[in-house]
Amino acid sequence: MTTEQAQADKAVYQVYIEAPIEKVWNELVKTDDMLPFFFGSVCKTKNGLAVGEPMAMETTNGKYRSVVGTVLEFDPPNRYSHTFKFTGYDDPPCTVTYELKSVEGGTQFSLITTNVPAGTKTEKGMAQGGNFIVNTFKSVVETGGPAFGTRLMLGVMGLAQPFTPKQCRAELWSFDRIRDL
């Protein structure tokens, strides 16, 4: 893709969460734990979530990495931003930003996608996943877990793991390679 290729409009997925901003932030930036709101992935890092550091969303057994990126901004408890690349697609990275704002009785949580190449598989995947992520995140923070239907879906996804494309294998997406994207 060239730098002249069209970019999709910025997409904002937003939800109100009945919890203090610190609780919402701490759930968002967990590493090494399964995150139901990120489709059951585990956020892995080499040196923690810090600006310039690579990160990867991988399966609980560590065999596959579905999303990789580099932290662009890390401002607790208000903003976290990183590049975002699906390992299963040849599309270039885009940007994902999480914004948290204290409001009366809780936290306004926003998931914002920018620089998504228009017409790509990445654009389609991000559009399908945005609402799932914010709504499941709300459920996890407020109740301690995802809704029953989400738990079923995550179970089915786990069963389908052997069918994950080989190009998503974790050994193909080292932190050094991620940093060079």
Side-chain angles (χ1 to χ4, degrees), residues 50-66:
V51 174
E53 290 296 323
M55 50 78 65
M57 301 305 288
E58 66 180 39
T59 55
T60 55
N61 64 9
K63 288 185 178 182
Y64 300 97
R65 291 187 166 170
S66 57

Side-chain angles (χ1 to χ4, degrees), residues 37 124-125 130 161:
F37 47 91
K124 183 177 179 183
Q161 185 177 328

